[in-house]
Amino acid sequence: MATNESTTAATAYLEGYARILADASATGRRLTREELDSRRALGEQAAEAGLGLRALVGAHLAATRSHWPTGNGSTPDTVLAAAAQAVDALAEGYERAQRHAVRQEETARREFIDDLLYGRTDLGRLAERAARYGLRLSSAHAVAVASGRTPYDDGDPVPRDVERSLIGRFGDRSILLTTKDGRLVCIAPGDQDEVLSYFAKQAYAATDGGQVAIGRSQPGPAGVVHSYEEALNALDLADRLDLDAPVLRAADLLVYPVLTRDRQAMADLVENTLGPLRAARGGPQPLLDTLTTYFDTGCVSAETARRLSLSPRALTYRLARIHAITGADPTDPTHRYTLQTAVIGARLLDWPTKPL
């Protein structure tokens, strides 16, 4: 039941109610537009003041009993009809104020998330705002990003299902789950890897086989931005390199940013090592695919031949052709590292589809 304190507070929003009740019930008329608007306005004010709707309705029911019109032609039906219209308008105003507050909260939350993930505001002010959402940015955090078959926003069932699972397992635990650019984003304390691992598992299932990338734990507000960017870069690498693992960890992919840091050097390596394959019959792509599969299988010839639907003899011929054209032997450990690095570079630079 509503407390005495809230009931007392609710009486402040009964202004004019007894008069409206008496006037409307005397003739059985409907409340006028002005009367309904006055009830809506009071409902909005009550919501903005933080008063519960239950206490507000209770106060109006009590006032109806206390000020029950008698001797003026009123009947129980006309009194109850007038009371119902007044309370309905009151609740409408209350709900309108609540919807407005929710929209304002959603806007503020979205602005905070944008500032947090892009580092676009004063870090001290950002840390203050973060406390409202349960984040303590003085500590380290890690970010996981999940992409699915379709884009998602906060109102979709997928984010809600994942959030429900996380809260059910860990409680709030300083976890922030949101969406950004159609992807699911989870921010968690850096020392709670189990949270992001569980998020990855739930997101993979909820997105029907999507892919999740987890950035490294990084300190401070700027660390959230760094970890988020690492997760995005991991998803981008997965797309460019055809990495199909359901969960990617940025810590396991650090070699790729190193390889691409000097793009011109990588382009020179690809051109000098693999460029001669353009002279091969059918162009460079079949032999490049052979090298890619060969290295992906750990240089196991039987598995490479199976994946390429080739006989072992045909695979041996292709590897020999690569050696003859490029001067580098894929089966020779001395040449293998250069060839494999060039193949990775070709995939990152989308060679030979795009010019270097």
Side-chain angles (χ1 to χ4, degrees):
M1 295 181 63
T3 64
N4 290 335
E5 183 178 348
S6 61
T7 301
T8 301
T11 59
Y13 301 94
L14 291 170
E15 180 184 350
Y17 178 63
R19 177 188 57 76
I20 291 173
L21 188 68
D23 289 351
S25 61
T27 60
R29 67 170 176 82
R30 293 189 59 81
L31 271 62
T32 66
R33 177 179 296 180
E34 291 74 16
E35 290 170 339
L36 292 173
D37 286 345
S38 69
R39 300 305 97 191
R40 294 187 185 103
L42 288 170
E44 289 183 7
Q45 294 168 21
E48 292 166 357
L51 185 67
L53 182 59
R54 186 176 180 182
L56 195 62
V57 172
H60 278 71
L61 293 178
T64 302
R65 290 193 297 270
S66 299
H67 300 285
W68 190 278
T70 57
N72 63 348
S74 301
T75 67
D77 285 344
T78 59
V79 173
L80 292 177
Q85 292 174 60
V87 170
D88 183 67
L90 187 85
E92 182 183 346
Y94 189 96
E95 292 170 353
R96 184 164 59 195
Q98 283 195 319
R99 287 194 297 270
H100 178 67
V102 168
R103 285 194 295 270
Q104 286 186 316
E105 174 61 26
E106 289 175 347
T107 299
R109 185 175 188 270
R110 177 53 55 191
E111 290 175 352
F112 164 72
I113 289 168
D114 288 345
D115 291 342
L116 177 65
L117 296 181
Y118 293 141
R120 296 186 306 201
T121 190
D122 174 75
L123 296 184
R125 172 65 180 142
L126 188 65
E128 292 178 7
R129 293 161 64 197
R132 180 179 180 184
Y133 300 98
L135 297 181
R136 297 165 61 180
L137 295 185
S138 58
S139 304
H141 286 80
V143 182
V145 180
S147 63
R149 300 179 187 276
T150 59
Y152 304 103
D153 60 38
D154 288 338
D156 289 337
V158 166
R160 291 203 303 269
D161 290 346
V162 173
E163 183 174 36
R164 191 179 301 113
S165 298
L166 279 173
I167 293 175
R169 177 73 175 270
F170 301 105
D172 58 19
R173 211 154 152 184
S174 301
I175 302 168
L176 179 61
L177 183 68
T178 185
T179 60
K180 184 66 181 169
D181 298 329
R183 303 183 183 97
L184 277 67
V185 178
C186 181
I187 304 170
D191 60 353
Q192 296 182 15
D193 185 67
E194 69 276 12
V195 172
L196 296 182
S197 296
Y198 188 75
F199 164 78
K201 179 180 179 181
Q202 296 301 313
Y204 177 77
T207 58
D208 191 24
Q211 198 167 39
V212 184
I214 302 176
R216 292 177 297 164
S217 173
Q218 304 284 355
V224 174
V225 179
H226 191 181
S227 185
Y228 175 62
E229 290 176 346
E230 284 189 337
L232 291 181
N233 289 336
L235 289 175
D236 180 60
L237 278 172
D239 182 58
R240 292 157 66 187
L241 298 177
D242 296 324
L243 304 178
D244 57 2
V247 180
L248 305 162
R249 290 187 176 270
D252 299 333
L253 303 173
L254 291 178
V255 66
Y256 296 106
V258 172
L259 291 176
T260 56
R261 192 159 293 156
D262 190 337
R263 189 187 186 283
Q264 187 56 54
M266 178 59 74
D268 290 343
L269 175 65
V270 172
E271 181 61 38
N272 291 332
T273 306
L274 303 176
L277 294 179
R278 293 192 185 93
R281 180 179 300 176
Q285 196 63 56
L287 296 181
L288 182 60
D289 290 343
T290 300
L291 283 173
T292 299
T293 307
Y294 184 64
F295 294 132
D296 284 349
T297 63
C299 303
V300 177
S301 297
E303 178 61 16
T304 302
R306 186 190 69 78
R307 293 190 186 184
L308 293 172
S309 300
L310 296 174
S311 67
R313 182 176 179 180
L315 174 63
T316 300
Y317 173 76
R318 283 196 183 184
L319 294 177
R321 287 291 297 152
I322 292 169
H323 185 191
I325 295 173
T326 66
D329 183 1
T331 65
D332 184 342
T334 305
H335 298 162
R336 188 177 297 159
Y337 177 75
T338 300
L339 272 173
Q340 186 167 8
T341 304
V343 167
I344 292 172
R347 295 167 77 176
L348 290 172
L349 300 176
D350 200 16
W351 184 88
T353 302
K354 296 179 179 179
L356 297 174

